[in-house]
Amino acid sequence: MHELKDRLPEDVLNGVLAVPPVRAEAVARARALLGTARWCRAEEVAAELVDCFVANRVP
């Protein structure tokens, strides 16, 4: 079986490798945010999108 890097187009691979690494403090902040009520839930977003679609309004 081929490795993933051998199956990806070179420009895609170069783009992925050019992304800076994720800092540990950014991960910690994201985990803290996910644990709060401020984080929107996927179900709430999906329900709002369905309501917008049914009512023909742009979110």
Side-chain angles (χ1 to χ4, degrees):
M1 177 184 263
H2 294 287
E3 290 188 42
L4 182 59
K5 67 177 185 167
D6 295 331
R7 292 183 285 159
L8 289 173
E10 191 169 335
D11 59 327
V12 172
L13 183 59
N14 288 337
V16 169
L17 293 175
V19 173
V22 176
R23 297 177 307 187
E25 58 269 14
V27 173
R29 282 195 318 270
R31 285 185 176 151
L33 178 61
L34 286 172
T36 67
R38 289 179 19 210
W39 181 256
C40 69
R41 304 290 186 248
E43 293 84 10
E44 295 169 14
V45 173
E48 179 65 21
L49 289 173
V50 169
D51 289 346
C52 289
F53 178 75
V54 170
N56 269 340
R57 56 187 166 92
V58 177

Short mmCIF file of all heavy atoms in Angstrom, two decimals:
data_model
loop_
_atom_site.label_atom_id
_atom_site.label_comp_id
_atom_site.label_asym_id
_atom_site.label_seq_id
_atom_site.Cartn_x
_atom_site.Cartn_y
_atom_site.Cartn_z
N MET A 1 0.84 -1.18 0.00
CA MET A 1 0.00 0.00 0.00
C MET A 1 0.89 1.25 0.00
O MET A 1 1.88 1.31 0.70
CB MET A 1 -0.90 -0.02 1.23
CG MET A 1 -1.77 1.21 1.33
SD MET A 1 -2.75 1.23 2.85
CE MET A 1 -4.27 0.60 2.20
N HIS A 2 0.50 2.23 -0.79
CA HIS A 2 1.26 3.47 -0.87
C HIS A 2 1.03 4.32 0.37
O HIS A 2 -0.05 4.32 0.95
CB HIS A 2 0.85 4.29 -2.10
CG HIS A 2 1.20 3.63 -3.38
ND1 HIS A 2 2.49 3.54 -3.84
CD2 HIS A 2 0.43 3.01 -4.30
CE1 HIS A 2 2.50 2.91 -4.99
NE2 HIS A 2 1.25 2.57 -5.29
N GLU A 3 2.06 5.05 0.75
CA GLU A 3 1.89 6.00 1.85
C GLU A 3 1.06 7.17 1.35
O GLU A 3 1.01 7.45 0.16
CB GLU A 3 3.24 6.50 2.33
CG GLU A 3 4.04 5.43 3.06
CD GLU A 3 5.29 6.02 3.69
OE1 GLU A 3 5.20 7.12 4.25
OE2 GLU A 3 6.32 5.37 3.61
N LEU A 4 0.41 7.85 2.30
CA LEU A 4 -0.45 8.98 1.95
C LEU A 4 0.32 10.03 1.17
O LEU A 4 -0.18 10.57 0.20
CB LEU A 4 -1.06 9.58 3.21
CG LEU A 4 -2.02 10.74 3.02
CD1 LEU A 4 -3.19 10.34 2.14
CD2 LEU A 4 -2.50 11.27 4.35
N LYS A 5 1.55 10.32 1.59
CA LYS A 5 2.32 11.36 0.90
C LYS A 5 2.60 10.99 -0.55
O LYS A 5 2.79 11.86 -1.38
CB LYS A 5 3.62 11.64 1.64
CG LYS A 5 4.61 10.50 1.62
CD LYS A 5 5.88 10.88 2.32
CE LYS A 5 6.90 9.77 2.16
NZ LYS A 5 8.21 10.14 2.53
N ASP A 6 2.61 9.71 -0.88
CA ASP A 6 2.83 9.28 -2.26
C ASP A 6 1.56 9.38 -3.09
O ASP A 6 1.62 9.41 -4.31
CB ASP A 6 3.33 7.84 -2.29
CG ASP A 6 4.69 7.69 -1.64
OD1 ASP A 6 5.48 8.66 -1.67
OD2 ASP A 6 4.97 6.60 -1.10
N ARG A 7 0.39 9.46 -2.43
CA ARG A 7 -0.88 9.52 -3.15
C ARG A 7 -1.40 10.94 -3.32
O ARG A 7 -2.31 11.17 -4.10
CB ARG A 7 -1.93 8.68 -2.41
CG ARG A 7 -1.61 7.20 -2.47
CD ARG A 7 -2.68 6.39 -1.83
NE ARG A 7 -2.57 6.51 -0.37
CZ ARG A 7 -3.56 6.26 0.47
NH1 ARG A 7 -4.72 5.88 0.04
NH2 ARG A 7 -3.37 6.38 1.76
N LEU A 8 -0.84 11.90 -2.57
CA LEU A 8 -1.31 13.28 -2.66
C LEU A 8 -0.57 14.04 -3.76
O LEU A 8 0.61 13.82 -3.97
CB LEU A 8 -1.05 14.01 -1.33
CG LEU A 8 -1.93 13.60 -0.16
CD1 LEU A 8 -1.44 14.28 1.11
CD2 LEU A 8 -3.37 13.95 -0.42
N PRO A 9 -1.27 14.94 -4.44
CA PRO A 9 -0.57 15.79 -5.40
C PRO A 9 0.48 16.62 -4.66
O PRO A 9 0.31 16.99 -3.50
CB PRO A 9 -1.67 16.69 -5.97
CG PRO A 9 -2.94 16.00 -5.67
CD PRO A 9 -2.71 15.20 -4.42
N GLU A 10 1.57 16.91 -5.31
CA GLU A 10 2.68 17.60 -4.67
C GLU A 10 2.28 18.98 -4.13
O GLU A 10 2.71 19.37 -3.05
CB GLU A 10 3.85 17.74 -5.64
CG GLU A 10 5.10 18.22 -4.96
CD GLU A 10 6.32 18.10 -5.85
OE1 GLU A 10 6.33 17.27 -6.77
OE2 GLU A 10 7.26 18.86 -5.60
N ASP A 11 1.43 19.72 -4.86
CA ASP A 11 1.04 21.05 -4.38
C ASP A 11 0.20 20.96 -3.10
O ASP A 11 0.31 21.79 -2.21
CB ASP A 11 0.32 21.84 -5.45
CG ASP A 11 -0.94 21.16 -5.96
OD1 ASP A 11 -0.97 19.92 -6.01
OD2 ASP A 11 -1.90 21.88 -6.30
N VAL A 12 -0.63 19.93 -2.98
CA VAL A 12 -1.42 19.74 -1.77
C VAL A 12 -0.50 19.40 -0.60
O VAL A 12 -0.61 19.97 0.49
CB VAL A 12 -2.48 18.62 -1.96
CG1 VAL A 12 -3.16 18.28 -0.64
CG2 VAL A 12 -3.49 19.03 -3.00
N LEU A 13 0.43 18.50 -0.83
CA LEU A 13 1.38 18.13 0.21
C LEU A 13 2.21 19.33 0.65
O LEU A 13 2.39 19.56 1.86
CB LEU A 13 2.29 17.01 -0.30
CG LEU A 13 3.29 16.44 0.70
CD1 LEU A 13 2.58 15.89 1.93
CD2 LEU A 13 4.14 15.38 0.04
N ASN A 14 2.67 20.13 -0.28
CA ASN A 14 3.45 21.32 0.07
C ASN A 14 2.61 22.31 0.87
O ASN A 14 3.11 22.94 1.79
CB ASN A 14 3.99 21.99 -1.19
CG ASN A 14 5.10 21.18 -1.83
OD1 ASN A 14 5.75 20.38 -1.17
ND2 ASN A 14 5.31 21.38 -3.12
N GLY A 15 1.33 22.44 0.53
CA GLY A 15 0.46 23.33 1.27
C GLY A 15 0.26 22.87 2.70
O GLY A 15 0.28 23.67 3.64
N VAL A 16 0.09 21.58 2.89
CA VAL A 16 -0.07 21.04 4.24
C VAL A 16 1.21 21.22 5.05
O VAL A 16 1.18 21.62 6.20
CB VAL A 16 -0.48 19.55 4.19
CG1 VAL A 16 -0.40 18.90 5.56
CG2 VAL A 16 -1.87 19.40 3.60
N LEU A 17 2.33 20.95 4.43
CA LEU A 17 3.60 21.07 5.14
C LEU A 17 3.96 22.53 5.45
O LEU A 17 4.74 22.78 6.36
CB LEU A 17 4.72 20.42 4.32
CG LEU A 17 4.61 18.90 4.18
CD1 LEU A 17 5.69 18.37 3.24
CD2 LEU A 17 4.68 18.21 5.53
N ALA A 18 3.37 23.48 4.74
CA ALA A 18 3.68 24.89 4.96
C ALA A 18 2.88 25.49 6.13
O ALA A 18 3.21 26.56 6.61
CB ALA A 18 3.38 25.69 3.69
N VAL A 19 1.86 24.79 6.60
CA VAL A 19 1.04 25.29 7.69
C VAL A 19 1.87 25.26 8.97
O VAL A 19 2.52 24.26 9.27
CB VAL A 19 -0.23 24.42 7.86
CG1 VAL A 19 -1.01 24.82 9.08
CG2 VAL A 19 -1.08 24.51 6.61
N PRO A 20 1.84 26.35 9.73
CA PRO A 20 2.63 26.35 10.98
C PRO A 20 2.04 25.35 11.98
O PRO A 20 0.84 25.08 11.97
CB PRO A 20 2.49 27.78 11.49
CG PRO A 20 1.30 28.34 10.82
CD PRO A 20 1.14 27.60 9.51
N PRO A 21 2.87 24.82 12.84
CA PRO A 21 2.37 23.87 13.84
C PRO A 21 1.42 24.55 14.82
O PRO A 21 1.51 25.76 15.05
CB PRO A 21 3.63 23.37 14.55
CG PRO A 21 4.68 24.41 14.29
CD PRO A 21 4.31 25.05 12.97
N VAL A 22 0.52 23.78 15.39
CA VAL A 22 -0.43 24.32 16.36
C VAL A 22 0.29 24.46 17.70
O VAL A 22 0.93 23.52 18.17
CB VAL A 22 -1.64 23.38 16.51
CG1 VAL A 22 -2.59 23.88 17.58
CG2 VAL A 22 -2.35 23.23 15.18
N ARG A 23 0.16 25.64 18.28
CA ARG A 23 0.81 25.88 19.57
C ARG A 23 0.00 25.25 20.69
O ARG A 23 -1.22 25.20 20.64
CB ARG A 23 0.96 27.37 19.81
CG ARG A 23 1.84 28.06 18.79
CD ARG A 23 1.87 29.52 19.04
NE ARG A 23 0.48 29.99 19.11
CZ ARG A 23 0.12 31.25 19.18
NH1 ARG A 23 1.02 32.17 19.19
NH2 ARG A 23 -1.14 31.60 19.23
N ALA A 24 0.69 24.78 21.71
CA ALA A 24 0.03 24.11 22.84
C ALA A 24 -0.97 25.03 23.53
O ALA A 24 -2.05 24.60 23.93
CB ALA A 24 1.09 23.63 23.83
N GLU A 25 -0.64 26.34 23.63
CA GLU A 25 -1.57 27.25 24.30
C GLU A 25 -2.85 27.46 23.48
O GLU A 25 -3.92 27.67 24.05
CB GLU A 25 -0.92 28.59 24.64
CG GLU A 25 -0.35 29.34 23.47
CD GLU A 25 1.10 29.03 23.16
OE1 GLU A 25 1.66 28.05 23.67
OE2 GLU A 25 1.70 29.77 22.38
N ALA A 26 -2.76 27.38 22.17
CA ALA A 26 -3.95 27.49 21.33
C ALA A 26 -4.85 26.27 21.54
O ALA A 26 -6.08 26.40 21.59
CB ALA A 26 -3.56 27.61 19.86
N VAL A 27 -4.25 25.11 21.67
CA VAL A 27 -5.03 23.89 21.94
C VAL A 27 -5.70 23.99 23.29
O VAL A 27 -6.88 23.64 23.45
CB VAL A 27 -4.12 22.64 21.85
CG1 VAL A 27 -4.88 21.40 22.30
CG2 VAL A 27 -3.58 22.46 20.44
N ALA A 28 -4.98 24.48 24.29
CA ALA A 28 -5.56 24.62 25.64
C ALA A 28 -6.73 25.59 25.63
O ALA A 28 -7.77 25.33 26.26
CB ALA A 28 -4.49 25.07 26.62
N ARG A 29 -6.60 26.73 24.91
CA ARG A 29 -7.70 27.70 24.83
C ARG A 29 -8.91 27.09 24.13
O ARG A 29 -10.05 27.29 24.54
CB ARG A 29 -7.24 28.96 24.09
CG ARG A 29 -6.41 29.88 24.92
CD ARG A 29 -6.27 31.27 24.30
NE ARG A 29 -6.05 31.30 22.87
CZ ARG A 29 -4.85 31.28 22.29
NH1 ARG A 29 -3.76 31.25 23.02
NH2 ARG A 29 -4.73 31.32 20.98
N ALA A 30 -8.67 26.33 23.07
CA ALA A 30 -9.77 25.69 22.34
C ALA A 30 -10.49 24.67 23.21
O ALA A 30 -11.72 24.62 23.22
CB ALA A 30 -9.24 25.03 21.07
N ARG A 31 -9.73 23.89 23.96
CA ARG A 31 -10.36 22.91 24.86
C ARG A 31 -11.19 23.61 25.92
O ARG A 31 -12.28 23.15 26.27
CB ARG A 31 -9.29 22.03 25.49
CG ARG A 31 -8.74 21.01 24.54
CD ARG A 31 -7.78 20.09 25.23
NE ARG A 31 -7.33 19.06 24.29
CZ ARG A 31 -6.18 18.47 24.33
NH1 ARG A 31 -5.31 18.77 25.28
NH2 ARG A 31 -5.85 17.57 23.45
N ALA A 32 -10.68 24.71 26.46
CA ALA A 32 -11.43 25.46 27.47
C ALA A 32 -12.71 26.03 26.87
O ALA A 32 -13.77 25.99 27.50
CB ALA A 32 -10.56 26.58 28.04
N LEU A 33 -12.64 26.56 25.66
CA LEU A 33 -13.82 27.11 24.99
C LEU A 33 -14.87 26.04 24.72
O LEU A 33 -16.06 26.25 24.91
CB LEU A 33 -13.43 27.80 23.69
CG LEU A 33 -14.56 28.39 22.85
CD1 LEU A 33 -15.30 29.47 23.64
CD2 LEU A 33 -14.02 28.96 21.56
N LEU A 34 -14.42 24.87 24.30
CA LEU A 34 -15.36 23.78 24.02
C LEU A 34 -16.10 23.34 25.27
O LEU A 34 -17.22 22.82 25.19
CB LEU A 34 -14.62 22.59 23.41
CG LEU A 34 -14.20 22.76 21.96
CD1 LEU A 34 -13.31 21.61 21.53
CD2 LEU A 34 -15.40 22.85 21.05
N GLY A 35 -15.51 23.56 26.43
CA GLY A 35 -16.14 23.17 27.68
C GLY A 35 -17.11 24.20 28.23
O GLY A 35 -17.73 23.98 29.25
N THR A 36 -17.28 25.34 27.55
CA THR A 36 -18.16 26.39 28.04
C THR A 36 -19.46 26.41 27.25
O THR A 36 -19.58 25.83 26.18
CB THR A 36 -17.50 27.77 27.92
OG1 THR A 36 -17.35 28.10 26.53
CG2 THR A 36 -16.15 27.83 28.60
N ALA A 37 -20.42 27.15 27.79
CA ALA A 37 -21.71 27.31 27.11
C ALA A 37 -21.60 28.29 25.94
O ALA A 37 -22.53 28.40 25.15
CB ALA A 37 -22.77 27.78 28.10
N ARG A 38 -20.49 29.03 25.85
CA ARG A 38 -20.33 29.99 24.76
C ARG A 38 -20.13 29.30 23.42
O ARG A 38 -20.36 29.90 22.37
CB ARG A 38 -19.12 30.90 25.03
CG ARG A 38 -19.35 31.86 26.15
CD ARG A 38 -18.16 32.74 26.44
NE ARG A 38 -17.21 32.84 25.37
CZ ARG A 38 -15.91 33.04 25.54
NH1 ARG A 38 -15.41 33.15 26.74
NH2 ARG A 38 -15.10 33.12 24.50
N TRP A 39 -19.69 28.07 23.43
CA TRP A 39 -19.42 27.36 22.18
C TRP A 39 -20.74 26.93 21.56
O TRP A 39 -21.58 26.30 22.20
CB TRP A 39 -18.56 26.14 22.46
CG TRP A 39 -18.23 25.36 21.24
CD1 TRP A 39 -18.77 24.18 20.85
CD2 TRP A 39 -17.30 25.73 20.21
NE1 TRP A 39 -18.24 23.77 19.66
CE2 TRP A 39 -17.34 24.70 19.24
CE3 TRP A 39 -16.47 26.81 20.01
CZ2 TRP A 39 -16.55 24.75 18.10
CZ3 TRP A 39 -15.69 26.83 18.88
CH2 TRP A 39 -15.73 25.82 17.94
N CYS A 40 -20.99 27.28 20.31
CA CYS A 40 -22.25 26.89 19.68
C CYS A 40 -22.22 25.40 19.34
O CYS A 40 -21.19 24.86 18.95
CB CYS A 40 -22.52 27.73 18.44
SG CYS A 40 -21.42 27.42 17.06
N ARG A 41 -23.30 24.76 19.52
CA ARG A 41 -23.40 23.33 19.25
C ARG A 41 -23.81 23.10 17.80
O ARG A 41 -24.56 23.88 17.22
CB ARG A 41 -24.42 22.69 20.19
CG ARG A 41 -24.15 22.92 21.66
CD ARG A 41 -22.93 22.15 22.10
NE ARG A 41 -22.73 22.25 23.53
CZ ARG A 41 -21.72 22.89 24.09
NH1 ARG A 41 -20.84 23.50 23.34
NH2 ARG A 41 -21.57 22.92 25.39
N ALA A 42 -23.34 22.03 17.22
CA ALA A 42 -23.62 21.73 15.82
C ALA A 42 -25.11 21.60 15.55
O ALA A 42 -25.61 22.04 14.51
CB ALA A 42 -22.89 20.45 15.40
N GLU A 43 -25.84 21.02 16.50
CA GLU A 43 -27.28 20.85 16.32
C GLU A 43 -27.99 22.19 16.24
O GLU A 43 -28.93 22.37 15.46
CB GLU A 43 -27.88 20.02 17.46
CG GLU A 43 -27.41 18.59 17.50
CD GLU A 43 -26.09 18.41 18.22
OE1 GLU A 43 -25.59 19.38 18.86
OE2 GLU A 43 -25.52 17.31 18.15
N GLU A 44 -27.54 23.16 17.05
CA GLU A 44 -28.14 24.48 17.04
C GLU A 44 -27.88 25.19 15.71
O GLU A 44 -28.76 25.84 15.16
CB GLU A 44 -27.60 25.32 18.20
CG GLU A 44 -27.98 24.78 19.56
CD GLU A 44 -27.22 25.46 20.68
OE1 GLU A 44 -26.59 26.50 20.45
OE2 GLU A 44 -27.26 24.92 21.80
N VAL A 45 -26.67 25.05 15.22
CA VAL A 45 -26.32 25.67 13.93
C VAL A 45 -27.13 25.03 12.82
O VAL A 45 -27.68 25.72 11.96
CB VAL A 45 -24.80 25.54 13.66
CG1 VAL A 45 -24.45 26.02 12.26
CG2 VAL A 45 -24.01 26.32 14.70
N ALA A 46 -27.22 23.71 12.82
CA ALA A 46 -27.99 23.01 11.79
C ALA A 46 -29.46 23.42 11.83
O ALA A 46 -30.07 23.65 10.77
CB ALA A 46 -27.85 21.50 11.97
N ALA A 47 -30.03 23.53 13.02
CA ALA A 47 -31.43 23.92 13.14
C ALA A 47 -31.65 25.33 12.60
O ALA A 47 -32.64 25.59 11.90
CB ALA A 47 -31.88 23.84 14.60
N GLU A 48 -30.74 26.24 12.88
CA GLU A 48 -30.85 27.61 12.37
C GLU A 48 -30.76 27.63 10.84
O GLU A 48 -31.51 28.35 10.17
CB GLU A 48 -29.78 28.50 12.98
CG GLU A 48 -29.81 29.93 12.50
CD GLU A 48 -31.07 30.69 12.90
OE1 GLU A 48 -31.75 30.30 13.86
OE2 GLU A 48 -31.37 31.69 12.23
N LEU A 49 -29.86 26.85 10.29
CA LEU A 49 -29.73 26.79 8.82
C LEU A 49 -30.99 26.24 8.18
O LEU A 49 -31.43 26.74 7.14
CB LEU A 49 -28.51 25.96 8.43
CG LEU A 49 -27.17 26.60 8.72
CD1 LEU A 49 -26.05 25.60 8.45
CD2 LEU A 49 -26.97 27.86 7.90
N VAL A 50 -31.60 25.22 8.78
CA VAL A 50 -32.85 24.67 8.25
C VAL A 50 -33.95 25.72 8.32
O VAL A 50 -34.70 25.91 7.36
CB VAL A 50 -33.25 23.39 9.01
CG1 VAL A 50 -34.67 22.96 8.66
CG2 VAL A 50 -32.28 22.27 8.70
N ASP A 51 -34.05 26.43 9.46
CA ASP A 51 -35.04 27.49 9.59
C ASP A 51 -34.85 28.56 8.51
O ASP A 51 -35.82 29.04 7.92
CB ASP A 51 -34.98 28.14 10.98
CG ASP A 51 -35.49 27.22 12.07
OD1 ASP A 51 -36.15 26.21 11.75
OD2 ASP A 51 -35.22 27.52 13.26
N CYS A 52 -33.61 28.94 8.28
CA CYS A 52 -33.33 29.95 7.24
C CYS A 52 -33.72 29.45 5.87
O CYS A 52 -34.28 30.19 5.06
CB CYS A 52 -31.84 30.30 7.27
SG CYS A 52 -31.34 31.26 8.71
N PHE A 53 -33.43 28.18 5.60
CA PHE A 53 -33.77 27.60 4.30
C PHE A 53 -35.28 27.59 4.10
O PHE A 53 -35.78 27.99 3.05
CB PHE A 53 -33.20 26.19 4.20
CG PHE A 53 -33.55 25.49 2.93
CD1 PHE A 53 -32.92 25.83 1.74
CD2 PHE A 53 -34.51 24.50 2.90
CE1 PHE A 53 -33.23 25.17 0.56
CE2 PHE A 53 -34.83 23.84 1.74
CZ PHE A 53 -34.20 24.19 0.56
N VAL A 54 -36.01 27.14 5.12
CA VAL A 54 -37.47 27.06 5.03
C VAL A 54 -38.08 28.46 4.85
O VAL A 54 -39.01 28.65 4.08
CB VAL A 54 -38.05 26.35 6.26
CG1 VAL A 54 -39.55 26.47 6.32
CG2 VAL A 54 -37.61 24.88 6.26
N ALA A 55 -37.53 29.43 5.56
CA ALA A 55 -38.08 30.80 5.51
C ALA A 55 -37.52 31.62 4.37
O ALA A 55 -37.88 32.79 4.21
CB ALA A 55 -37.82 31.50 6.84
N ASN A 56 -36.66 31.03 3.56
CA ASN A 56 -36.02 31.75 2.44
C ASN A 56 -35.28 33.01 2.88
O ASN A 56 -35.37 34.05 2.26
CB ASN A 56 -37.05 32.12 1.38
CG ASN A 56 -37.18 31.08 0.32
OD1 ASN A 56 -36.28 30.25 0.15
ND2 ASN A 56 -38.28 31.08 -0.39
N ARG A 57 -34.56 32.92 3.98
CA ARG A 57 -33.76 34.06 4.41
C ARG A 57 -32.29 33.63 4.51
O ARG A 57 -31.99 32.48 4.79
CB ARG A 57 -34.25 34.63 5.74
CG ARG A 57 -34.33 33.70 6.88
CD ARG A 57 -35.00 34.35 8.09
NE ARG A 57 -35.33 33.32 9.04
CZ ARG A 57 -34.54 32.93 10.04
NH1 ARG A 57 -33.39 33.54 10.21
NH2 ARG A 57 -34.90 31.97 10.84
N VAL A 58 -31.44 34.57 4.26
CA VAL A 58 -30.01 34.30 4.29
C VAL A 58 -29.51 34.55 5.71
O VAL A 58 -29.79 35.59 6.29
CB VAL A 58 -29.26 35.21 3.30
CG1 VAL A 58 -27.77 34.99 3.38
CG2 VAL A 58 -29.77 35.00 1.90
N PRO A 59 -28.76 33.57 6.27
CA PRO A 59 -28.26 33.78 7.64
C PRO A 59 -27.19 34.86 7.68
O PRO A 59 -26.55 35.16 6.73
CB PRO A 59 -27.68 32.43 8.03
CG PRO A 59 -27.47 31.69 6.76
CD PRO A 59 -28.38 32.30 5.73
#
